[in-house]
Amino acid sequence: MGRAVVGVAVTVAVATCAVAALVVGRRLRSRRKWNKVASVVRELEEGCDTSVGRLRQVVDAMAVEMHAGLASEGGSKLKMLLTFVDNLPNGTERGTYYALHLGGTNFRVLRVQLSGQPSSDLEHEVEVERQPIPEDVMTSTTEDLFDFIASSLKDFIAKEGDGLNISHDRRELGFTFSFPVKQMSVSSGILIKWTKGFSIRDLVGRDVAACLQEALTRKGLDVRVAALVNDTVGTLAVGHYHDPDTVAAIIIGTGTNACYLERIDAIIKCQGLLMTSGRMVVNMEWGNFWSSHLPRTSYDIDLDAESPNPNDQGFEKMISGMYLGDIVRRVILRMSLESDVLGPISPKLSTPFILRTPFMAAMHEDNSPDLREVARILNDIFEIPDVPLKARKIVVKVCDVVTRRAARLAAAGIVGILKKIGRDGSGGITGGRSRSDMKMRRTVVAIEGGLYSKYLLFREYLREALNEILGEDIAKHVILKVTEDGSGIGAALLAASYSS
Ligand code: ADP
Ligand code: MG
């Protein structure tokens, strides 16, 4: 009897121990897998360091590279392209002008009516038509591309009502072409290379404006290409039209780039060029900026190596909308490989560019207490169901780290430009004057692009970093202004400034 009781007691004790061991084991395994995920995130955060000290190094590197790119052709990864735009619109332009905009996700045709009065509601005088660029056109031939563009313009003009009081003189057009171009004049220039997924080989090295002009003539349109402009230059033009304190323009959309007004005598590589105003807009092509101070992670290295343009557009690959979602995808894939907190590894996690940046932004900006949007997107895009709340929070953190780095690097780039032109409160890198003798002037930077205009947290991080780098006293003089459709409207304004 006694023996039986002891026997039962022993069995119970052994069973209890076994259960306890199982629970402890499971807890340990669980803790271990969360630790693994946590260390992936920690490593990412360390790799994405954008402390003010590091940002200041990026600022200095940007200003130095700008100097080098202005000194000689090929002197820097920054091409610092001449635009031959020496006068920016000021509001006195009048007449009806057209613009075509090729460069990102959408192709745009615009018509702008200018009264000769600087009007703050210029946007009301604009008629815009947008259409996605067919994928096959992006990789077709020069002739197909320009026939597509010319047909769109022809349809647009054919739809003009009689109510519009447009004289039937030859129409003048500005062509916004958001790829690196070596300009020969305001209205001509050859394509240096494609970016952002375009690739029509036989256009590289040819005059883009002349190709467009030929296509317009083929379609029987009496339209003259009066200006060939980069989207940054269009944005600067429209910014300056509204506010003459505008000195630079930044694009932060699918890609990223910047241009600014430079003194002619600082553009050493074009010595002897006579420009009427002593200044010229320089298209930096800053997407290709590189510095060893940039915080680069293994995800960036892999993304670059697997891209169609390795070792190219390094700054752009850390900042712009084309890439941010894919960096996040790579981190989630790594988390999934290291632990099973996201369940079995979904093959969708290995599909490049499957997570587009607007969806990443939607996860980042999910304010619901149980992160419902995050769960929905992980399920819809990656086919990962039932992600625990703790893992959803980690995904949001990853989005935050990637976007914060992008926004802060863009801010450092902007301060680099301000430093180069002596608008950072320090007197510029050539001036020897101290901070105290400089009176900081009101300085406006025009910004266009969906990543900046539609992603609130990106915008907030950028502004915050600008304030940190410059200090509040200087930063309060720097105004960042969103210009909607500015790059297209600006091309029409430049067509007006440079019309025959
Ligand atoms: P593009 O750069 O192609 O000329 P946009 O300036 O409109 O066109 O920018 C579009 C890009 O902006 C998209 O490719 C995307 O990366 C980004 N974007 C658009 N909407 C959002 C959004 N809601 N949140 C974050 N990024 C966005
Ligand atoms: Mg654009």
Side-chain angles (χ1 to χ4, degrees), residues 62-83 180-183 192 257-262 266-270 280-289 416-417 420-421:
M62 181 65 81
V64 166
E65 290 299 318
M66 289 171 76
H67 261 278
L70 291 171
S72 66
E73 210 68 67
S76 163
K77 289 203 103 172
L78 287 181
K79 286 211 154 63
M80 305 302 283
L81 300 169
L82 309 184
T83 64
V181 162
K182 181 172 167 55
Q183 306 242 187
I192 297 171
N257 190 13
C259 77
Y260 72 107
L261 256 178
E262 182 57 281
I267 310 176
I268 296 159
K269 67 184 176 184
C270 80
M280 193 199 283
V281 176
V282 174
N283 166 16
M284 293 173 60
E285 288 299 330
W286 90 356
N288 200 39
F289 169 68
I417 298 174
K420 173 68 184 72
I421 60 177

Side-chain angles (χ1 to χ4, degrees), residues 10-28:
V10 168
T11 314
V12 167
V14 167
T16 310
C17 279
V19 168
L22 216 93
V23 170
V24 169
R26 203 179 292 148
R27 276 211 198 118
L28 263 179

Side-chain angles (χ1 to χ4, degrees), residues 220-476:
L221 289 168
D222 189 19
V223 178
R224 187 181 86 100
V225 182
L228 171 65
V229 302
N230 185 263
D231 52 351
T232 54
V233 182
T235 300
L236 180 59
V238 87
H240 194 270
Y241 177 95
H242 289 305
D243 190 332
D245 287 336
T246 309
V247 296
I250 318 294
I251 302 283
I252 314 180
T254 306
T256 185
N257 190 13
C259 77
Y260 72 107
L261 256 178
E262 182 57 281
R263 298 190 330 269
I264 281 289
D265 57 356
I267 310 176
I268 296 159
K269 67 184 176 184
C270 80
Q271 251 169 9
L273 254 184
L274 275 179
M275 302 309 283
T276 54
S277 72
R279 298 192 298 177
M280 193 199 283
V281 176
V282 174
N283 166 16
M284 293 173 60
E285 288 299 330
W286 90 356
N288 200 39
F289 169 68
W290 191 253
S291 155
S292 58
H293 298 299
L294 289 173
R296 197 179 202 210
T297 67
S298 62
Y299 307 105
D300 301 301
I301 292 169
D302 293 347
L303 182 146
D304 180 58
E306 292 163 28
S307 72
N309 56 342
N311 290 318
D312 208 20
Q313 299 292 101
F315 199 47
E316 178 163 271
K317 284 171 178 159
M318 289 182 156
I319 292 177
S320 80
M322 177 150 182
Y323 304 101
L324 295 191
D326 205 53
I327 300 174
V328 169
R329 174 192 66 84
R330 287 167 186 277
V331 182
I332 299 177
L333 172 61
R334 163 82 71 84
M335 282 166 35
S336 190
L337 291 170
E338 301 248 327
S339 92
D340 61 358
V341 300
L342 296 170
I345 301 166
S346 162
K348 297 278 175 190
L349 280 172
S350 305
T351 311
F353 296 105
I354 196 170
L355 178 63
R356 295 183 40 248
T357 299
F359 291 98
M360 164 207 165
M363 292 200 286
H364 191 191
E365 299 189 322
D366 184 355
N367 287 322
S368 65
D370 54 347
L371 299 176
R372 227 171 304 140
E373 191 63 9
V374 177
R376 194 186 62 79
I377 291 171
L378 291 174
N379 186 46
D380 289 359
I381 294 181
F382 294 124
E383 295 175 3
I384 308 175
D386 310 319
V387 176
L389 183 58
K390 193 167 166 188
R392 294 181 212 171
K393 286 185 181 161
I394 293 173
V395 169
V396 173
K397 177 71 190 174
V398 170
C399 298
D400 186 67
V401 172
V402 170
T403 289
R404 184 167 181 271
R405 178 185 68 162
R408 290 171 71 82
L409 289 178
I414 293 171
V415 179
I417 298 174
L418 298 182
K419 178 164 193 160
K420 173 68 184 72
I421 60 177
R423 297 282 190 117
D424 67 333
S426 74
I429 61 172
T430 45
R433 286 169 293 181
S434 71
R435 233 163 219 267
S436 54
D437 0 315
M438 287 296 299
K439 194 167 173 295
M440 183 63 189
R441 287 168 59 190
R442 182 173 178 275
T443 297
V444 180
V445 177
I447 309 189
E448 178 174 310
L451 189 66
Y452 185 80
S453 65
K454 298 196 184 124
Y455 195 169
L456 179 67
L457 289 172
F458 184 99
R459 214 156 58 230
E460 288 180 354
Y461 278 140
L462 192 156
R463 182 73 235 188
E464 184 180 70
L466 203 80
N467 294 352
E468 280 177 33
I469 304 168
L470 288 171
E472 302 279 345
D473 281 350
I474 302 292
K476 69 178 183 226

Side-chain angles (χ1 to χ4, degrees), residues 101 103-106 108 176 178 196 231 235 251 253-255 448-450 487:
H101 181 170
T105 17
N106 286 308
R108 275 161 255 193
T176 309
S178 332
K196 298 174 283 189
D231 52 351
T235 300
I251 302 283
T254 306
E448 178 174 310
S487 49

